[in-house]
Amino acid sequence: MDRRQLLQGSVGVGALLAVPMAEAGAAPVAGAKGEGDGFPMPRPLNGVAPRLPEGDPSRTLLELGWRFHEGDVPTPEPQGHHETYLSVKAGNAVGAAATGYDDSDWREVRLPHDWAAAQPFVETANVSQGYRPRGIGWYRRTLRLDPADKGKTLELHFDGIATNATIWINGSTVAHNWSSYNSVYVDLTPFARFGEETNVIAIRVDADAKEGWWYEGAGLYRHAWLVRRPPVAIVSDGVHCDPRQVDGRWQVPVTVTLANVARDAAAVVVEAVLLDPDGREVARGEVKASVPVLDRAEAVLLLDAGAPRLWFVENPTLYAVRTRVLRDGAAIDERRTAIGFRTIRFDANQGLFVNDKHVKLKGVCLHQDHAGVGVAVPDSLHRWRLERLKDMGCNAIRMSHNAPTAELLDWCDRMGFLVMDENRLFNPAPDYMAQLEWLVRRDRNHPSVILWSVFNEEPMQGTGAGVEMVRRMIAAVKRLDDSRPVTGAMNGSFYNEVSVAGEFDVMGFNYYQADYDKYHKLHPNQPITSSEDTSAYETRGAFASDPAGHVITSYDTEATSWGATHRDTWKNIAERPFVAGGFVWTGFDYHGEPTPYAWPTIASFFGILDLCGFPKTAFDIHRAHWIDDQDVVGIAPHWTWPGREGEAIKVFVSCNAETIALRLNGRELGVQKVDRIMGNEWSVPYAPGRIEAIAMRGGKVVARAVKETAGKAVALRLTPARSLMAGDDEECQAITIDAVDSKGRHVPTANFMTRFTVQGATILGVGNGDPNSHEAEQVLPNSGSRSLFNGLAQILIRAGTGPGKIALRAEAEGFEPASLSIARTDVKPRPQVAVVRQVQDLREWRRSPLLAARPEPSLAPADGDNNSWDFVRSGVPTPAEQPGWRVYRTRFTPWKRVAGEGGTIAFENIGGKAELWVDGKLLATKAGSAPGPLNATLPAGQGARIVALLVEGAANAPSGLLGAVAITPR
C-alpha cells in the first residue's frame, strides 16, 4: 500500500494522510501528481476519524467528575495526642487527602488535564519550561463501586502524571511516583468500599519537580482508568506475544502472566487465538495453569502462524492475539493485542532492514505538546499530528526523551511508523529500573517499536560508573525483550578509553556528523544511526531574520552551533549507507527551550511544523528528501511583498523530480536540474502576480506549486481538518482560521485579532504558531479570541455527544465573518465511570463499652486513650448481647456551606432508642427500639463539632449505627 492508497482510505483505519490544498486561483495540471500547495493546510478529509479499538474490556475511563485545586493545601497539625495517634494510621490521612475533606469549592475538571497550559507567561518562571509557573496541585474524585465488584481484582490506572505524585485511596497512601512519563497502576482491591459507601481518591501533584529541559506540563495529563477483573485474571501488561521467525516460518510465542486475589488456588485454562486482519482464526493454543493465592503464575504457549502477511512501513498489516482465561469452560478474562509480523536487522554497512527490505529512517523527534492543550493531547490529535508527518514522507519517530502515551504507539502501529522508544532517567536504582522495565513490558508487543533507547545525552556516558549503569539497564531490557536492539542517544565520549558506546547494539549519534566516518572505521561491525540531528531554526512564514524581534528566516540557513541545516544534515545521512537514518530535532515546535533566544520567546524554533502543525519551509524540504512514490514540489516564500517591487527576492524550490522550471506571470525564468537534497534557488525581481514552480520528468510536467500575490484581506475563512466529527464527546480536530482577499486567496501577511464562537462542541485551546506570543491558549468553552500570525491561527474543538451540527463563526473588526458547519455523527461514546457527588459522610466513630445506666453525653475517652473505646465505622452493627447503653462519638468540621448556613445531620438507620447530642445540646431523639432513621437540623457554626449518640440497645438485637451518617446543606 503506497501513500496514494493511504490517501484514498483503502485501509481499515481510514484515510491516514492529508493532501495539500491548492491555493485559490491555481489551475491544477491534468493528471499531474502533487499539485500546488499554496495554502499550507490539507483539504478536509471525509469521514469520521477512526478510533482506536479497546484491547482490554476490563478498563473503563475515569475522566469525568474530578475536582482540582491549584496550589498546595497545608496539612493541619494534629491537635493533641489522640489526633496525632490517628493521623499516622491507615485510612486516617489528614488535610486534602482525608476522606471527608471539603472539596466542594474546587473546580471540576475533565481528564486529560494540564493545568500549566492555562498559566500566564511569567518572566521569572523557568525558561526551559516555557516561562509558565507549574507548582503544586491537588485532584480528588469520589467513586462508587457496585457490590457485585466485591472479590474482584480492582485497579486504578493513571497513564501519566506530571510530575511527582502521591496518591491516597480512602485516606490511605497507596502510591508515590517519581516520573511524569510512566503509568501508575494502583491496586484498589484491598482499599475498596462497595455499595452506598463511596471511595475517595486524592492525588497531590508536585509539578515543580523537573525531569526535562522542555515544557512538561502539570497534572493528570494522560488517560485514567478504573479496571475491574475477576479474582483470577491477566495482570496489567501481562501478555507478551511479539512474533518470531524460525526456520522460515512465523511463530507467536505467547506468555501470559496471571494473578489471583481469591482465597483459594485456582486452576484455569489459558487460551490464545491468532486472528488475521479480517478477524479469521489462523492458529489456536491452550494450556493449563494453576495460580496460587495472592501470587502470580505464567502460562506459556506457541502459535504457529505459518506464512502471514507482513508488516511494512508502506503496508502496516496488523494481526491480533486474543488471550482468554477460562474457568470451568467459561471465559472470565480477555485481552486483544495487536501484533505485526516483521523482522528488523541493523547492518553495520547497509543500515536498517525490515523484513529484509532496506529502509532508511526518515525520522523526527517528538515531544508530547501542542498549542492550546499543552501536554494533554487528545488521542485524535495525536493521530492528526502523525498524519501531517506521514504526508511529509516521515517514517520514523523518536519518542524524546521519554515513554510516549500508549495511544501514540497504537497509531504508529496502524500508520506504519518505526519507533525508537526511549527511557527518561538514566539510573539503575530500583525506583528508576522499575520505570524502564514498565516501559518494555508495556510496549514490547508493538511492531512499530524497533529500538529501545536507555538514555539521552548523559554526562556520565564516558565514565566507568556510566558503563556499569548502562550494563544493568541493558540487561534488564534484554530479560524482558530479546528481539530488539538497544541503543542510547550519545553526544560525545565515543572514543574515550572508557565509554558506554561499546555496550550498545546500535550506536546512536546525537549530532557529531563529522564523526560518522571515523567511528565507522574504528567500529566496522557496530551499526550506526543518527538518534538526533539538525536543530535548525525557522519561524513559520518569516523570510528575513530579525534578531531584535526574535524572528528567524525560514530559508533553512540558520542552525545551532552543534547542528546543521535540514539540507546539510540529510546530505550527510543520505550519502552514507552505513548510517541507518536520522531523527530531525524536531517534528513540531514545542513550548519551552526557546533556543537561541530567551524572554519574551516562550517556544522553540526547531520544528519542521510549528506549534499548531502549520508547515514551515522545512516541510517541503523533507517532502523532496523523503517521498519516493509521488512527485512533489514546493516553493518559498509567499508572493505578497507590497512596496518591494523590483527588489530581488530569493525563490527557493524543493522538488524530487528531474528538472524544475520557474515562471513569473507566464514569463520563463529558467530551467534547472533538480537538486533533491539542497534545493534550487533563483533571484527574482519582485513583481506582483503569479509565480509557478513546474516539476518535470522526461520533459513532461508532473507537479507544480503556485503562489499568487494576495490583495488586501477582506474576510476570514475557516477550514476544518475533517468534514465530519464523531458525536462521542471525545474526538478533537483542528480548525484553521486564515484571512482571504476579495478573490478568496490566502493572505500570508495578515496579523490581526480574530474572535470566534462554537456551538455543538467545546473549545479545548487555541494557538497561532508564534513562538513569541503571550496570548492565552485556553479560552472559554464556547468562545474566545486569537490573533493571526503570518496569516494563520488554530482552534481545537472537541465534539459534543450524539448526532447534530457543530457551528463555528469567526469575525474580526472590519472583515467579513466566516461560518462553518460540521456534521456530528451518532457514535457511541466510550463508557465512563459514573460521576458521584461527594457528601460529608461521618464514617469514623468511637464506641464506648456497654453501660448498665444511661451515661452523660459528655462521656468520652481521655485524650490518648486509644484502647478502652472501640474504633467503629457507621454501617457496621454492634453485635447483639445483653441490653444496655453505649455512646458513639465523633468529631468533624462542617464543610463551608453547612458551617455558614447550617444543614441537616441524617442517620440512615439506628438500632435501638437514641439521643442525638451535638456540642453538648440535644438535637433529636428516637423513641423506638426497632431500626429506623433519625434526622436533625444542624445549626451553623465554624470549627470542629462534637457528636454524641446515646443508644439504648435491646437484648438479642443489633444496635448502633446500622447505616450511613451524612451531613448535607439546607
Side-chain angles (χ1 to χ4, degrees):
M1 179 178 59
D2 61 19
R3 295 178 66 262
R4 187 163 296 280
Q5 289 174 309
L6 285 168
L7 285 166
Q8 295 167 349
S10 61
V11 290
V13 295
L16 296 182
L17 299 176
V19 185
M21 175 179 279
E23 185 165 85
V29 178
K33 296 180 287 183
E35 282 97 1
D37 58 350
F39 185 67
M41 291 302 293
R43 293 185 182 96
L45 293 175
N46 293 323
V48 172
R51 195 164 73 189
L52 289 166
E54 177 54 64
D56 183 354
S58 65
R59 302 194 309 171
T60 306
L61 285 169
L62 181 64
E63 299 187 342
L64 305 178
W66 287 87
R67 292 190 173 274
F68 171 69
H69 179 274
E70 187 179 332
D72 205 359
V73 179
T75 301
E77 183 69 19
Q79 301 300 306
H81 175 70
H82 177 66
E83 282 194 13
T84 303
Y85 175 89
L86 288 182
S87 70
V88 295
K89 299 294 184 179
N92 280 280
V94 295
T99 302
Y101 182 81
D102 181 8
D103 60 18
S104 58
D105 60 348
W106 289 16
R107 180 162 58 95
E108 187 168 324
V109 298
R110 174 176 178 163
L111 308 186
H113 178 241
D114 173 8
W115 86 70
Q119 298 296 318
F121 299 101
V122 178
E123 187 172 6
T124 55
N126 183 270
V127 55
S128 297
Q129 295 284 337
Y131 294 108
R132 276 189 165 134
R134 297 169 74 212
I136 293 171
W138 282 81
Y139 294 85
R140 286 173 58 90
R141 175 58 152 87
T142 301
L143 175 68
R144 180 165 283 126
L145 295 171
D146 192 309
D149 291 331
K150 271 187 180 179
K152 290 183 179 180
T153 302
L154 302 172
E155 292 181 348
L156 298 174
H157 288 186
F158 299 97
D159 286 352
I161 305 175
T163 301
N164 292 352
T166 303
I167 304 173
W168 293 262
I169 296 174
N170 296 330
S172 290
T173 307
V174 296
H176 297 287
N177 192 61
W178 315 114
S179 176
S180 291
Y181 303 109
N182 64 280
S183 296
V184 186
Y185 300 158
V186 176
D187 184 4
L188 176 60
T189 315
F191 306 98
R193 299 170 182 172
F194 302 90
E196 292 304 310
E197 190 172 2
T198 57
N199 300 268
V200 176
I201 307 163
I203 306 176
R204 182 184 184 270
V205 182
D206 178 3
D208 277 335
K210 299 173 183 65
E211 292 177 86
W213 48 98
W214 60 88
Y215 174 78
E216 297 183 277
L220 278 60
Y221 73 101
R222 290 181 179 172
H223 289 305
W225 310 83
L226 170 65
V227 181
R228 288 172 283 207
R229 298 178 183 140
V232 181
I234 304 168
V235 304
S236 298
D237 303 328
V239 177
H240 185 197
C241 53
D242 189 24
R244 303 288 190 276
Q245 191 177 40
V246 180
D247 297 329
R249 288 185 65 82
W250 280 96
Q251 298 177 342
V252 184
V254 182
T255 301
V256 182
T257 305
L258 306 167
N260 180 8
V261 300
R263 291 186 172 273
D264 299 301
V268 298
V269 172
V270 176
E271 171 196 87
V273 178
L274 177 63
L275 302 171
D276 73 9
D278 299 313
R280 293 186 294 261
E281 182 175 318
V282 176
R284 172 186 294 264
E286 62 179 42
V287 65
K288 294 180 180 179
S290 179
V291 191
V293 175
L294 296 178
D295 204 348
R296 294 188 171 192
E298 284 191 346
V300 180
L301 306 89
L302 185 65
L303 301 179
D304 186 354
R309 285 180 275 170
L310 301 183
W311 186 97
F312 288 99
V313 169
E314 304 83 2
N315 190 5
T317 301
L318 290 178
Y319 285 64
V321 174
R322 187 188 69 205
T323 311
R324 299 197 301 176
V325 180
L326 308 176
R327 196 168 190 183
D328 299 325
I332 58 173
D333 194 23
E334 179 178 322
R335 301 287 185 281
R336 191 173 290 247
T337 308
I339 62 170
F341 291 89
R342 58 100 186 94
T343 61
I344 49 176
R345 174 169 58 88
F346 282 87
D347 184 271
N349 294 309
Q350 299 178 69
L352 172 65
F353 291 81
V354 178
N355 293 321
D356 292 325
K357 177 182 176 182
H358 184 260
V359 178
K360 197 79 167 179
L361 291 171
K362 304 168 181 178
V364 300
C365 301
L366 285 186
H367 284 314
Q368 180 168 320
D369 181 17
H370 194 90
V373 292
V375 297
V377 179
D379 296 352
S380 49
L381 186 58
H382 278 302
R383 183 183 184 282
W384 181 85
R385 286 162 59 91
L386 291 177
E387 288 172 352
R388 303 298 290 138
L389 296 174
K390 183 65 78 169
D391 188 42
M392 185 176 66
C394 175
N395 67 9
I397 309 291
R398 177 187 175 210
M399 302 300 178
S400 46
H401 304 290
N402 48 261
T405 185
E407 291 75 18
L408 183 56
L409 287 180
D410 291 337
W411 286 128
C412 288
D413 290 344
R414 285 158 174 77
M415 297 173 70
F417 285 94
L418 302 170
V419 171
M420 177 176 167
D421 208 353
E422 190 156 270
N423 175 60
R424 170 73 288 268
L425 298 171
F426 182 45
N427 192 331
D431 280 345
Y432 303 100
M433 190 71 90
Q435 294 172 18
L436 173 62
E437 292 169 344
W438 161 83
L439 168 70
V440 177
R441 280 195 303 270
R442 188 196 67 168
D443 296 347
R444 60 189 174 179
N445 296 318
H446 287 280
S448 58
V449 176
I450 63 164
L451 273 171
W452 301 113
S453 171
V454 295
F455 70 59
N456 171 73
E457 298 184 355
E458 287 293 336
M460 294 180 70
Q461 62 196 351
T463 67
V467 170
E468 292 304 312
M469 291 164 69
V470 84
R471 286 181 61 229
R472 285 154 177 78
M473 297 177 78
I474 292 173
V477 172
K478 298 287 189 179
R479 281 193 295 270
L480 293 169
D481 174 46
D482 61 358
S483 72
R484 295 171 178 85
V486 178
T487 188
M490 294 188 65
N491 63 333
S493 306
F494 318 119
Y495 312 117
N496 286 17
E497 184 177 347
V498 175
S499 172
V500 302
E503 305 296 328
F504 293 129
D505 301 313
V506 175
M507 175 60 199
F509 274 87
N510 277 19
Y511 311 98
Y512 284 90
Q513 290 196 308
D515 285 80
Y516 289 164
D517 295 331
K518 177 182 177 181
Y519 190 89
H520 180 56
K521 185 176 181 179
L522 291 172
H523 304 277
N525 298 318
Q526 186 180 26
I528 290 174
T529 189
S530 167
S531 43
E532 182 177 320
D533 53 61
T534 311
S535 280
Y537 303 130
E538 291 186 11
T539 300
R540 192 261 304 157
F543 295 93
S545 293
D546 175 14
H550 293 195
V551 174
I552 304 176
T553 178
S554 284
Y555 276 123
D556 189 37
T557 57
E558 297 195 27
T560 61
S561 59
W562 59 87
T565 66
H566 292 273
R567 294 169 292 165
D568 287 334
T569 295
W570 185 247
K571 188 175 190 294
N572 278 319
I573 293 171
E575 289 178 345
R576 290 168 171 80
F578 62 85
V579 178
F583 294 90
V584 175
W585 191 265
T586 52
F588 291 76
D589 279 341
Y590 52 95
H591 294 92
E593 198 175 15
T595 314
Y597 300 116
W599 184 266
T601 303
I602 48 83
S604 76
F605 297 85
F606 295 122
I608 297 171
L609 301 104
D610 70 13
L611 278 165
C612 296
F614 296 134
K616 306 178 188 180
T617 304
F619 186 84
D620 280 329
I621 290 173
H622 286 290
R623 279 170 61 84
H625 290 170
W626 291 349
I627 293 177
D628 297 317
D629 63 351
Q630 177 185 349
D631 294 301
V632 299
V633 60
I635 187 171
H638 60 77
W639 205 242
T640 302
W641 301 99
R644 295 185 63 178
E645 288 76 9
E647 183 179 333
I649 300 288
K650 181 169 76 171
V651 176
F652 177 82
V653 177
S654 305
C655 187
N656 64 356
E658 293 176 352
T659 58
I660 190 81
L662 195 68
R663 292 178 185 167
L664 176 61
N665 295 328
R667 181 169 58 90
E668 298 287 349
L669 300 178
V671 177
Q672 296 183 18
K673 182 181 177 181
V674 165
D675 187 333
R676 185 174 179 180
I677 291 182
M678 301 306 292
N680 296 76
E681 293 184 8
W682 282 260
S683 180
V684 180
Y686 175 65
R690 175 187 177 93
I691 192 163
E692 297 176 87
I694 302 168
M696 293 173 285
R697 286 186 183 274
K700 181 182 177 180
V701 176
V702 292
R704 72 173 73 215
V706 177
K707 296 292 175 71
E708 290 191 355
T709 303
K712 181 181 178 181
V714 298
L716 296 178
R717 176 169 57 184
L718 292 166
T719 305
R722 305 192 74 89
S723 59
L724 293 173
M725 291 191 74
D728 62 357
D729 199 33
E730 272 196 81
E731 187 188 342
C732 167
Q733 76 154 307
I735 309 294
T736 299
I737 311 176
D738 76 319
V740 296
D741 67 7
S742 60
K743 294 183 179 181
R745 294 174 297 202
H746 171 65
V747 181
T749 56
N751 293 281
F752 55 80
M753 183 62 68
T754 69
R755 300 177 300 279
F756 39 84
T757 58
V758 178
Q759 294 179 326
T762 299
I763 300 172
L764 296 181
V766 297
N768 63 13
D770 181 1
N772 299 312
S773 175
H774 289 193
E775 294 176 30
E777 295 186 25
Q778 304 257 301
V779 296
L780 295 174
N782 299 109
S783 64
S785 62
R786 187 70 181 190
S787 62
L788 300 179
F789 172 64
N790 291 337
L792 297 170
Q794 184 179 84
I795 313 170
L796 298 176
I797 63 171
R798 182 180 65 231
T801 305
K805 291 285 187 183
I806 297 171
L808 294 92
R809 179 179 172 85
E811 57 186 23
E813 188 173 351
F815 296 86
E816 284 291 319
S819 296
L820 175 67
S821 179
I822 302 172
R824 197 179 64 215
T825 61
D826 190 10
V827 176
K828 186 177 180 181
R830 289 195 288 180
Q832 291 268 2
V833 176
V835 175
V836 178
R837 299 301 175 193
Q838 187 180 6
V839 298
Q840 189 165 15
D841 192 0
L842 304 188
R843 286 283 174 183
E844 309 300 330
W845 296 76
R846 299 295 301 277
R847 181 181 65 195
S848 75
L850 182 67
L851 304 168
R854 175 190 176 279
E856 290 298 318
S858 58
L859 182 66
D863 182 39
D865 180 356
N866 297 299
N867 302 94
S868 63
W869 286 48
D870 291 325
F871 292 88
V872 297
R873 307 189 78 244
S874 58
V876 179
T878 297
E881 52 181 55
Q882 61 205 40
W885 291 82
R886 291 185 187 270
V887 179
Y888 298 79
R889 293 180 63 88
T890 193
R891 181 175 184 266
F892 76 100
T893 299
W895 289 358
K896 300 176 184 70
R897 184 175 169 188
V898 172
E901 303 174 8
T904 299
I905 181 168
F907 291 78
E908 182 181 66
N909 198 5
I910 297 175
K913 300 177 181 179
E915 301 174 15
L916 173 62
W917 296 74
V918 176
D919 297 333
K921 297 181 180 179
L922 180 65
L923 297 188
T925 60
K926 176 175 176 285
S929 295
L934 177 64
N935 298 330
T937 299
L938 185 69
Q942 303 294 323
R945 317 292 288 276
I946 303 296
V947 180
L949 184 72
L950 280 58
V951 176
E952 184 181 9
N956 301 314
S959 65
L961 304 172
L962 308 183
V965 184
I967 308 293
T968 57
R970 288 179 179 172

